[in-house]
Amino acid sequence: MIWNKNAECMSREEKEELQLALLKEVVKKAYEKVPFYTEKFDKAGFKVEDLQTLEDVSKIPFTTKDDLRKAYPFGLFAVPDEEIIEIHSTSGTTGTPVVSGYTKKDLDIWGECAARAIVMAGGSSKSKIQNSYGYGLFTGGFGIDHGAKTLGATVIPMSSGNTERQLKMMEDFQSDILTCTPSYALYLAESLEKKGVKPEEISLKAGIFGAEMWTEAMRSELEEKLGITAHNIYGLTEIMGPGVAAECIERNGQHIQDDHFYPEIIDPKTEEVLGEGVKGELVLTTLTKEGMPIIRFRTKDVTALRKDKCPCGRTTARIDRVTGRTDDMLKVKGVMFFPSQIETALLSINGLTANYQIHITRPKHLDVIEIKVETSPELFTDEMRGLDALEAKIAHKIQNTIGIRVNISLVEPESLPRSEGKAIRVIDERNFD
């Protein structure tokens, strides 16, 4: 099933013609209505009339997260305040929050995009969606909520937390789609196991998980424990929220709603636009957003772009699974790697769970990595025999994966902290002063 065939299945030629027309319109609006863009374009020597082809997008200067922070709170709004009817914001844990404002039309488009994502996961107007993303300034809960209502599905607005009540509602209301972060979905799965509830005893058929990076190994674990198909969804406060892209039933990349968002992949160092299938940093431009148009935003998410037609019938461009962020890449002992590489290595070994933490310290000016990982209840016994050998096996596997030696500490089940939102996987305690 496809929610909007006209938009999701149009030919590449029609799509590019539409994108160019929308780009010209939004760039002109940004220049005329947002002083930030007026100044930025003028400083870069870019004129609105320079945009004649899609390739000309590369002439436009980038927008960064620092730019958005400097504009806090409403410096990038392109409409009068009275036309903004909803506001969302990042947490601000790493600096000044980024604020995003939405007009009525913007919310309609958000609902449309999120509805497409729900349908991609097998949802319909008959679905009961247990929405366990957080509501509030975070875009997750409201994004799925807007999409479910646009679709005409039943939304159960659980928000995050209160796990016992989550499980009760899941059983009593017969929820068939679960939406939350993948780490919280895993916690819910573990909680069901502890209650003795088997996957076939609940009604879940699909999960739509995002807001943090996760691996194919975690997908397999979630599907096995919950008896579902697990789908990736992508969004970011700066652009819209969940629904910018999502996986269809083929799960061979996330379909970008490219009639509303123009995607590019660039080399993060040279800023050169890269070709199809080449991994780099995702850059997005909002094509239809009224309240706060964003031009060439550097997401820092590492992926690749695909434009071939998907077997599902959709012709929208797709992005590969995001493997990391250019600002989340770790550098230890001169070696660069993503935390997701460690997760993939861990979950390839039987007897381990997807709950782990990476601790990085620098005693005596030398980097040390310790990875704490929970074992399964069956493996963790009082005798502890064989665990030393398993720790050595894991350390060897990870060293082969990232190229440096690590220390492994196997810990008992449920001993690492759980998160109802985004999981904290990396604790870097190095002092670089």
Side-chain angles (χ1 to χ4, degrees), residues 195-321:
K195 286 184 63 178
V197 178
K198 297 178 181 178
E200 58 268 24
E201 295 173 342
I202 57 176
S203 301
L204 287 183
K205 295 181 176 62
I208 302 175
F209 306 130
E212 63 186 18
M213 282 173 289
W214 51 303
T215 61
E216 285 298 318
M218 184 178 277
R219 189 206 297 270
S220 298
E221 187 165 350
L222 285 168
E223 291 185 336
E224 180 182 352
K225 288 181 180 294
L226 291 173
I228 60 172
T229 58
H231 298 257
N232 221 327
I233 190 169
Y234 179 82
L236 56 171
T237 303
E238 297 87 345
I239 297 297
M240 185 183 73
V244 172
E247 285 181 319
C248 67
I249 201 67
E250 298 291 336
R251 296 183 297 177
N252 61 349
Q254 297 184 75
H255 291 267
I256 290 187
Q257 310 308 335
D258 56 6
D259 54 328
H260 296 291
F261 313 101
Y262 184 73
E264 303 170 78
I265 299 292
I266 66 166
D267 182 309
K269 292 182 179 179
T270 67
E271 299 183 347
E272 174 192 2
V273 177
L274 301 176
E276 186 176 346
V278 181
K279 186 175 288 189
E281 179 183 349
L282 177 65
V283 172
L284 290 172
T285 297
T286 61
L287 295 175
T288 55
K289 197 172 181 186
E290 288 185 333
M292 188 173 140
I294 298 294
I295 312 299
R296 297 198 86 199
F297 178 69
R298 293 189 61 166
T299 69
K300 298 197 173 183
D301 289 324
V302 178
T303 184
L305 194 63
R306 315 280 173 180
K307 294 184 179 179
D308 56 310
K309 184 177 179 179
C310 181
C312 75
R314 294 175 179 84
T315 56
T316 43
R318 306 188 308 281
I319 53 171
D320 291 351
R321 176 183 288 275

